[in-house]
Amino acid sequence: MKPRRHAGAGLMVALVMLVIMSLGAISLVRAVSTGRMVAANLALRQAAVLAADTATEAAINWLKSLVTTADLYADQPDKGYYASVPDGLDITGLGANGSSIAIDWESDGCKGSTASTCVKPAPALDADAAGNVMRYTIHRLCRSAGSPQSGANSCLMVSSSAASSGKRGQISYGASSRFTMSAGVYYRITVRTRGPRNTVVFTQTLVHF
């Protein structure tokens, strides 16, 4: 009888070890699958970030054609351009943290947003080969619309060499009447890229001319 008992005990041990090894294999497969998913998500995000450059370049090209004119003194909502930065702006479009102004990235009237005001971005650019769709808004970094030379306005500007005593590239935020070059105003370009698997990326770029 003893040999039979030993043989039965060995079978039980083998079955337990088989179950443990199976569970370990399942855990390993799940870990590998999770790692592949994370890597894929990171790749999609990086692709969306790179795609945003296309929209940034489109916004810069649009600004270039108007930067020496007075057309940029007023909002142009259909182009996604705003001559000042309003208080309470939420770039995500959700109206989070008590924000009062949201951007209508989905062209649905800021559906689901808690913001009281919904503003338009520029029309969507054509999707790229990876399926990324880009839209942008441009905000002139001024407290109000109108000429940046007005004493009642205040803009973030790059000083001319004359105004900054030879110090090129100096940034000053104050009375715009100190400056003589309206082209020195900074503009903030916000790009929202939506890609595959509900990937959403926001990028912001400051430019001046």
mmCIF file with all atom_site columns, all heavy atoms in Angstrom, residues 155-166:
data_model
loop_
_atom_site.group_PDB
_atom_site.id
_atom_site.type_symbol
_atom_site.label_atom_id
_atom_site.label_alt_id
_atom_site.label_comp_id
_atom_site.label_asym_id
_atom_site.label_entity_id
_atom_site.label_seq_id
_atom_site.pdbx_PDB_ins_code
_atom_site.Cartn_x
_atom_site.Cartn_y
_atom_site.Cartn_z
_atom_site.occupancy
_atom_site.B_iso_or_equiv
_atom_site.pdbx_formal_charge
_atom_site.auth_seq_id
_atom_site.auth_comp_id
_atom_site.auth_asym_id
_atom_site.auth_atom_id
_atom_site.pdbx_PDB_model_num
ATOM 1  N N   . CYS A 1 155 ? 0.603  94.383  -24.128 1.00 0.00 ? 155 CYS A N   1
ATOM 2  C CA  . CYS A 1 155 ? 0.894  93.158  -24.865 1.00 0.00 ? 155 CYS A CA  1
ATOM 3  C C   . CYS A 1 155 ? 2.269  92.606  -24.487 1.00 0.00 ? 155 CYS A C   1
ATOM 4  O O   . CYS A 1 155 ? 3.168  93.359  -24.097 1.00 0.00 ? 155 CYS A O   1
ATOM 5  C CB  . CYS A 1 155 ? 0.876  93.418  -26.369 1.00 0.00 ? 155 CYS A CB  1
ATOM 6  S SG  . CYS A 1 155 ? -0.720 94.003  -27.003 1.00 0.00 ? 155 CYS A SG  1
ATOM 7  N N   . LEU A 1 156 ? 2.388  91.313  -24.619 1.00 0.00 ? 156 LEU A N   1
ATOM 8  C CA  . LEU A 1 156 ? 3.696  90.676  -24.474 1.00 0.00 ? 156 LEU A CA  1
ATOM 9  C C   . LEU A 1 156 ? 4.426  90.843  -25.793 1.00 0.00 ? 156 LEU A C   1
ATOM 10 O O   . LEU A 1 156 ? 3.974  90.357  -26.824 1.00 0.00 ? 156 LEU A O   1
ATOM 11 C CB  . LEU A 1 156 ? 3.531  89.190  -24.143 1.00 0.00 ? 156 LEU A CB  1
ATOM 12 C CG  . LEU A 1 156 ? 4.822  88.399  -23.904 1.00 0.00 ? 156 LEU A CG  1
ATOM 13 C CD1 . LEU A 1 156 ? 5.545  88.931  -22.675 1.00 0.00 ? 156 LEU A CD1 1
ATOM 14 C CD2 . LEU A 1 156 ? 4.526  86.922  -23.744 1.00 0.00 ? 156 LEU A CD2 1
ATOM 15 N N   . MET A 1 157 ? 5.550  91.556  -25.756 1.00 0.00 ? 157 MET A N   1
ATOM 16 C CA  . MET A 1 157 ? 6.222  91.936  -26.991 1.00 0.00 ? 157 MET A CA  1
ATOM 17 C C   . MET A 1 157 ? 7.712  91.696  -26.903 1.00 0.00 ? 157 MET A C   1
ATOM 18 O O   . MET A 1 157 ? 8.286  91.592  -25.820 1.00 0.00 ? 157 MET A O   1
ATOM 19 C CB  . MET A 1 157 ? 5.958  93.414  -27.307 1.00 0.00 ? 157 MET A CB  1
ATOM 20 C CG  . MET A 1 157 ? 4.488  93.775  -27.420 1.00 0.00 ? 157 MET A CG  1
ATOM 21 S SD  . MET A 1 157 ? 4.230  95.518  -27.821 1.00 0.00 ? 157 MET A SD  1
ATOM 22 C CE  . MET A 1 157 ? 4.743  95.555  -29.534 1.00 0.00 ? 157 MET A CE  1
ATOM 23 N N   . VAL A 1 158 ? 8.329  91.626  -28.084 1.00 0.00 ? 158 VAL A N   1
ATOM 24 C CA  . VAL A 1 158 ? 9.784  91.598  -28.196 1.00 0.00 ? 158 VAL A CA  1
ATOM 25 C C   . VAL A 1 158 ? 10.250 93.010  -28.475 1.00 0.00 ? 158 VAL A C   1
ATOM 26 O O   . VAL A 1 158 ? 9.771  93.656  -29.403 1.00 0.00 ? 158 VAL A O   1
ATOM 27 C CB  . VAL A 1 158 ? 10.234 90.668  -29.332 1.00 0.00 ? 158 VAL A CB  1
ATOM 28 C CG1 . VAL A 1 158 ? 11.747 90.721  -29.497 1.00 0.00 ? 158 VAL A CG1 1
ATOM 29 C CG2 . VAL A 1 158 ? 9.803  89.248  -29.046 1.00 0.00 ? 158 VAL A CG2 1
ATOM 30 N N   . SER A 1 159 ? 11.148 93.515  -27.658 1.00 0.00 ? 159 SER A N   1
ATOM 31 C CA  . SER A 1 159 ? 11.618 94.885  -27.833 1.00 0.00 ? 159 SER A CA  1
ATOM 32 C C   . SER A 1 159 ? 12.440 95.005  -29.105 1.00 0.00 ? 159 SER A C   1
ATOM 33 O O   . SER A 1 159 ? 13.192 94.117  -29.474 1.00 0.00 ? 159 SER A O   1
ATOM 34 C CB  . SER A 1 159 ? 12.500 95.306  -26.655 1.00 0.00 ? 159 SER A CB  1
ATOM 35 O OG  . SER A 1 159 ? 11.828 95.135  -25.437 1.00 0.00 ? 159 SER A OG  1
ATOM 36 N N   . SER A 1 160 ? 12.296 96.133  -29.779 1.00 0.00 ? 160 SER A N   1
ATOM 37 C CA  . SER A 1 160 ? 13.194 96.435  -30.885 1.00 0.00 ? 160 SER A CA  1
ATOM 38 C C   . SER A 1 160 ? 14.545 96.812  -30.300 1.00 0.00 ? 160 SER A C   1
ATOM 39 O O   . SER A 1 160 ? 14.676 97.107  -29.116 1.00 0.00 ? 160 SER A O   1
ATOM 40 C CB  . SER A 1 160 ? 12.636 97.588  -31.722 1.00 0.00 ? 160 SER A CB  1
ATOM 41 O OG  . SER A 1 160 ? 12.626 98.778  -30.947 1.00 0.00 ? 160 SER A OG  1
ATOM 42 N N   . SER A 1 161 ? 15.569 96.830  -31.147 1.00 0.00 ? 161 SER A N   1
ATOM 43 C CA  . SER A 1 161 ? 16.907 97.139  -30.647 1.00 0.00 ? 161 SER A CA  1
ATOM 44 C C   . SER A 1 161 ? 16.965 98.537  -30.057 1.00 0.00 ? 161 SER A C   1
ATOM 45 O O   . SER A 1 161 ? 17.670 98.801  -29.099 1.00 0.00 ? 161 SER A O   1
ATOM 46 C CB  . SER A 1 161 ? 17.938 96.993  -31.780 1.00 0.00 ? 161 SER A CB  1
ATOM 47 O OG  . SER A 1 161 ? 17.596 97.851  -32.857 1.00 0.00 ? 161 SER A OG  1
ATOM 48 N N   . ALA A 1 162 ? 16.170 99.467  -30.616 1.00 0.00 ? 162 ALA A N   1
ATOM 49 C CA  . ALA A 1 162 ? 16.185 100.839 -30.111 1.00 0.00 ? 162 ALA A CA  1
ATOM 50 C C   . ALA A 1 162 ? 15.521 100.919 -28.749 1.00 0.00 ? 162 ALA A C   1
ATOM 51 O O   . ALA A 1 162 ? 15.967 101.634 -27.868 1.00 0.00 ? 162 ALA A O   1
ATOM 52 C CB  . ALA A 1 162 ? 15.476 101.758 -31.101 1.00 0.00 ? 162 ALA A CB  1
ATOM 53 N N   . ALA A 1 163 ? 14.447 100.151 -28.582 1.00 0.00 ? 163 ALA A N   1
ATOM 54 C CA  . ALA A 1 163 ? 13.705 100.244 -27.334 1.00 0.00 ? 163 ALA A CA  1
ATOM 55 C C   . ALA A 1 163 ? 14.382 99.488  -26.217 1.00 0.00 ? 163 ALA A C   1
ATOM 56 O O   . ALA A 1 163 ? 14.137 99.732  -25.054 1.00 0.00 ? 163 ALA A O   1
ATOM 57 C CB  . ALA A 1 163 ? 12.285 99.698  -27.535 1.00 0.00 ? 163 ALA A CB  1
ATOM 58 N N   . SER A 1 164 ? 15.261 98.545  -26.557 1.00 0.00 ? 164 SER A N   1
ATOM 59 C CA  . SER A 1 164 ? 15.864 97.720  -25.508 1.00 0.00 ? 164 SER A CA  1
ATOM 60 C C   . SER A 1 164 ? 17.343 98.003  -25.330 1.00 0.00 ? 164 SER A C   1
ATOM 61 O O   . SER A 1 164 ? 18.066 97.215  -24.750 1.00 0.00 ? 164 SER A O   1
ATOM 62 C CB  . SER A 1 164 ? 15.665 96.237  -25.849 1.00 0.00 ? 164 SER A CB  1
ATOM 63 O OG  . SER A 1 164 ? 16.274 95.950  -27.104 1.00 0.00 ? 164 SER A OG  1
ATOM 64 N N   . SER A 1 165 ? 17.811 99.150  -25.853 1.00 0.00 ? 165 SER A N   1
ATOM 65 C CA  . SER A 1 165 ? 19.204 99.574  -25.693 1.00 0.00 ? 165 SER A CA  1
ATOM 66 C C   . SER A 1 165 ? 20.172 98.518  -26.206 1.00 0.00 ? 165 SER A C   1
ATOM 67 O O   . SER A 1 165 ? 21.166 98.184  -25.549 1.00 0.00 ? 165 SER A O   1
ATOM 68 C CB  . SER A 1 165 ? 19.488 99.870  -24.207 1.00 0.00 ? 165 SER A CB  1
ATOM 69 O OG  . SER A 1 165 ? 18.631 100.881 -23.737 1.00 0.00 ? 165 SER A OG  1
ATOM 70 N N   . GLY A 1 166 ? 19.860 97.959  -27.373 1.00 0.00 ? 166 GLY A N   1
ATOM 71 C CA  . GLY A 1 166 ? 20.783 97.006  -27.982 1.00 0.00 ? 166 GLY A CA  1
ATOM 72 C C   . GLY A 1 166 ? 20.605 95.585  -27.522 1.00 0.00 ? 166 GLY A C   1
ATOM 73 O O   . GLY A 1 166 ? 21.318 94.706  -27.971 1.00 0.00 ? 166 GLY A O   1
#
